[in-house]
Structures are given as structure tokens and as C-alpha cells.
Amino acid sequence: MLHFLVSNDDGIEAAGIRALVRALAARGEVSVYAPAGQQSGKSQALTLDRPLRAESRVMEGAARAYAIDGTPADCVKFGIQHLRKEGCDPDYVITGINMGYNIGMDVLYSGTVAGATEGALAGYPSIALSVGAKDAANFDYLLDCIPELLEQAKTLPAGVMLNVNAPDLPRFEMKGTKIVGCGGLGFDDSFLPHEEEEDAYQYSSDLREQEEAEEEVDRMAVADGYATVTPLRADRVAYDVLAELRQLTDARPVIVFTDVQTDIMEALPRLARVRERILSLALAARALEIPVLVTEQYGERRSRIWGELQAALHEYDKMEKLVKLEFDMTEAPAFEKKMNCYPKEKMFLLAGTEAHTSVLLTAEGLRAKGYPVTVLTDCIASREEEDAETAKRAMRELGCRMETSETYLYRLAKSTATAECRALDEIYAPPAE
């Protein structure tokens, strides 16, 4: 039998948590550890300046229920410890159903999200649930989603929780559920003089819509009648920025030409500029003595590496190629062995075709293994331009640095006075005859 630890930030008497407990009771044992009163906006705050009090309550559907005079984070921490001492560890931590959305920047302040974050930090699959109205009455759609949400939560990496929001609409008016990012909503803050107390101020805020995101985010989806599911990290490390900062250190570049094969290159007559740039990159690798890794994907219809690239690469015939059957080069059996041939602190510069398969999936594989990646945007292509643009957006979201080959290489050369810069000038800006 499943065991659920349930909390919220609206307080143990709120309608949302009581609807949630009744629904979960049909699926397993429910233990409630919720604030005694309203705790919205407390985020991850803990009560450190006084003892906490936990009062046992009777709640329909709950095997045990406690009202705690603390924050949502207090409640979940207390509940986990209390249940462990009783020998009945929870299988899930679920918070809500919150009365009002937790979308956009609001997730930073939400006690509902914070409670689920505490569950994720403790190693439990965790879900935060919210409905978009302070007097919400339509919980049925979210409750119907619980079986699928439980399955999704089980697959999450450590320290990641699901933030789920739904409009306050009857089930039959809902359009469905979307997996989206978080954004598009912030606050205009103000502190107004208190009407009755001198030198006192009352916090007030108005919702402020931010600029439209390129990709659909939670605010846009709920406004269109969809429920949203957004994975949130408890770990607040900005991995995209971390990757960029690492690339500014002493990590040595390795250029990867992934699947630049004859059949594909001949199918790209309109992309003469890309072919030219790939050849220039090969010549620059020789001039700047940058290590090169060439991948070859073999299948029933695959041809060998493009002949012009072979001619441009230094000592191509002596190179050991990474032969693979997968699109992602990190899945090749010889990948780990090949990595020992390059500097310990390394970063990868990606060039090749097709951008939306071999390049994108290789970027995913490298990022998953913790390697910094720069995508040389002028050196990747797909047969369809839309596929290439979609791949570029996806790689940017992975935390890859996006840069043209010429910009990257001249930065590497550092100064116009260096021999490296003069060599690049010969390749990218040869003197007119």
C-alpha cells in the first residue's frame, strides 16, 4: 500500500488539502502534517527562534493528522522525521491543493512549492498542486491526474519535484495538460504606510506580466485552459551559466565533427556557406593545434566521411575515428576509451550534420556526462532549416554555449599580434589577389 505525506501552506482547514486527502485515501495511507494557519509566501523558511507545537487532529481520509504552528518547510521536515521514527516512511510527499496559482516567479515564494521541495531534498518523489483561484472549487481535474503524476514523479532525478497548476474550471472545460517551463509572471512590489501604526508599512504587490517567452510557459498555458506540469530543481545551481564559466577557464577545446558524411553533404546544395565554414574549421584546427575527433555513423544507407573534409583535416588517414551506430556519440562503445586521449579538463566544440539528430543527441549525451559544450552555429546544418533552428534552441536550453566558429577561434587567439591570429586571418580573411 502506498503511503502519502501531505502538507500545504493554506493551513490544515483549507478546502484544497481536505479534497486532496480524501482522494489519496482511496490509493493508500495518508499522513497529514500541515500548518495550523495560513502560511502563504513563506517559501523555504524554517522556525528557528521558538519551539514548534504539533496538535493531533481528526481529518477525513487521514490515518494521522497534525496541525503544526510553523511553516510548510517545518511541517514536511517534522512529518518525515516523525514517520521515520514510527517506521512508516512515506512513498510520496504531496503538497496542496493550493488556492491560487504557483506559476512564474511565484514559485520562489510559494510555501506549497517549498514543502514539495523539502520532500525532494529528502529523497522522496514530490508534487506540488495548485488551482488558480483564492476561492477555488474545481479540484476534480487535478485529482484525476494523480495516477499519471505519481508515475512521472517516480522517474524524476534526485532533488527534482513537479509543480502542477490548473485553472479553476470544471473538468469538462479543461483542454488537457501541458509539460511547460516556468515564467512570464512577476510582481510589482510596494510597501504602503500602515493605516493604524506609525512608522509601520504593509507589503503589497500587483502581478506583472513579463515579455512573452519564445517557448510556451506555465502562465500562457493556464490562461489558455490547460493544466501545467513543470519540473523544478531543489538545487539552484545555474548549470547553463556554470558551463559557460567553465569554458572561460583552462579547459582545453576538442573539436567534434559529427557525421559529416558524403550523402548528407551532397543533399545540402543550398548550404554552401555551412560547407565552407566546416572546411575552414578543419584548417583552423590544424593551425591552432586543436585536437579533432571525427565520428562516423554506419548503417545500411550511410556513406563515409565527406571527401573534402578528409582533405582539409591534418593527417586524416592516421586519425582514429569514433565509429558508432547511435546518433549520440557518447553511446559508442569506444567513447570512454577515446576520452583518455584528450586533456583531463576538456570542452567540446560541435560541428556536423544532421543538427536535429546527431549533433543534438551528442550534445545531450555530453551535457549529461558533465562536459561543457559549445555549438559552432555556422558549422551545423540539417536538410530542413526548421530542424536546424529547433535543434539550436534545444541545445541552448541544455546549457550549451552557442557561438560562430570564427568568433570562438579568434577569442582563442586572444590578440591580433599572435601567430594564431595571423593563421586565422589566412583562413577567414585571405588577402585579395
Side-chain angles (χ1 to χ4, degrees):
M1 176 185 289
L2 293 176
H3 185 189
F4 303 99
L5 189 162
V6 173
S7 190
N8 72 346
D9 72 359
D10 289 327
I12 197 166
E13 299 296 336
I17 193 171
R18 292 183 173 263
L20 176 61
V21 169
R22 288 193 296 270
L24 291 177
R27 300 183 177 278
E29 183 176 328
V30 182
S31 297
V32 177
Y33 297 85
Q38 179 60 250
Q39 291 286 311
S40 294
K42 294 300 177 69
S43 187
Q44 214 76 30
L46 296 175
T47 302
L48 304 177
D49 58 348
R50 60 175 177 80
L52 289 176
R53 290 177 171 78
E55 178 186 339
S56 180
R57 296 280 185 91
V58 175
M59 181 182 287
E60 181 184 353
R64 56 185 67 75
Y66 291 89
I68 298 168
D69 65 341
T71 67
D74 288 331
C75 294
V76 174
K77 281 182 176 291
F78 179 89
I80 289 171
Q81 179 179 315
H82 191 250
L83 291 174
R84 284 175 175 173
K85 284 184 176 180
E86 291 192 6
C88 50
D89 231 17
D91 296 294
Y92 292 88
V93 172
I94 303 181
T95 58
I97 298 172
N98 190 64
M99 310 291 271
Y101 288 130
N102 281 306
I103 56 178
M105 297 304 293
D106 196 39
V107 299
L108 299 175
Y109 308 104
S110 165
T112 304
V113 172
T117 301
E118 286 294 340
L121 286 170
Y124 301 101
S126 299
I127 305 167
L129 302 172
S130 302
V131 169
K134 294 301 180 184
D135 56 352
N138 294 286
F139 305 123
D140 289 349
Y141 186 84
L142 272 190
L143 297 176
D144 289 346
C145 291
I146 283 176
E148 183 177 358
L149 293 172
L150 297 179
E151 290 300 313
Q152 290 174 341
K154 284 196 305 186
T155 68
L156 296 176
V160 177
M161 47 80 65
L162 293 181
N163 183 38
V164 185
N165 286 271
D168 184 28
L169 295 174
R171 184 193 289 118
F172 66 88
E173 292 186 22
M174 292 290 297
K175 293 182 179 179
T177 301
K178 290 187 175 182
I179 311 294
V180 294
C182 175
L185 193 67
F187 300 94
D188 286 321
D189 301 321
S190 59
F191 288 86
L192 304 176
H194 197 278
E195 294 180 357
E196 299 178 1
E197 296 184 39
E198 187 177 356
D199 297 329
Y201 296 84
Q202 179 68 48
Y203 173 75
S204 177
S205 67
D206 292 319
L207 292 177
R208 169 174 43 83
E209 293 187 3
Q210 298 169 330
E211 292 183 5
E212 294 292 346
E214 289 185 11
E215 301 291 333
E216 188 173 33
V217 293
D218 48 13
R219 179 189 62 78
M220 298 161 64
V222 295
D224 196 27
Y226 288 90
T228 63
V229 178
T230 304
L232 299 177
R233 281 189 177 277
D235 171 3
R236 295 191 178 187
V237 175
Y239 286 99
D240 53 344
V241 179
L242 179 65
E244 290 196 18
L245 292 177
R246 282 176 171 168
Q247 293 180 64
L248 300 177
T249 65
D250 295 330
R252 293 293 305 278
V254 177
I255 295 174
V256 179
F257 290 97
T258 177
D259 304 349
V260 183
Q261 300 186 175
T262 301
D263 59 340
I264 299 175
M265 297 306 289
E266 291 179 350
L268 296 172
R270 63 182 178 81
L271 296 177
R273 183 66 170 167
V274 174
R275 297 202 300 274
E276 175 190 319
R277 286 288 160 155
I278 286 176
L279 295 179
S280 295
L281 179 62
L283 295 173
R286 179 192 304 184
L288 274 59
E289 298 183 346
I290 301 174
V292 169
L293 174 61
V294 177
T295 75
E296 294 182 335
Q297 184 183 351
Y298 290 141
E300 292 181 1
R301 300 189 304 276
R302 287 295 182 206
S303 61
R304 294 298 181 95
I305 295 298
W306 184 38
E308 291 184 49
L309 178 60
Q310 294 185 35
L313 287 169
H314 183 54
E315 296 186 330
Y316 175 82
D317 292 337
K318 297 180 182 179
M319 283 185 181
E320 183 182 355
K321 289 68 172 183
L322 185 63
V323 178
K324 60 190 180 71
L325 293 176
E326 303 82 359
F327 291 109
D328 174 7
M329 80 173 188
T330 69
E331 295 294 326
F335 173 76
E336 294 297 340
K337 180 180 177 182
K338 284 293 296 179
M339 291 304 96
N340 294 329
C341 301
Y342 301 109
K344 182 178 179 181
E345 296 297 328
K346 49 189 168 285
M347 53 170 294
F348 291 92
L349 312 178
L350 295 189
T353 60
E354 301 246 33
H356 60 295
T357 53
S358 295
V359 180
L360 173 57
L361 296 178
T362 289
E364 287 181 351
L366 291 170
R367 294 293 296 121
K369 292 180 181 294
Y371 292 111
V373 174
T374 291
V375 178
L376 301 176
T377 55
D378 56 332
C379 294
I380 64 171
S382 294
R383 289 181 175 88
E384 299 295 333
E385 188 172 356
E386 183 179 355
D387 289 337
E389 291 305 312
T390 299
K392 288 176 185 178
R393 287 196 298 271
M395 288 186 282
R396 185 178 290 108
E397 291 172 1
L398 285 172
C400 299
R401 190 182 185 92
M402 312 299 287
E403 197 159 26
T404 68
S405 58
E406 191 172 346
T407 300
Y408 180 86
L409 293 167
Y410 272 102
R411 180 184 292 111
L412 203 61
K414 295 183 179 179
S415 167
T416 58
T418 62
E420 291 83 358
C421 185
R422 290 192 292 274
L424 291 175
D425 286 343
E426 289 293 326
I427 296 167
Y428 288 101
E433 295 183 1

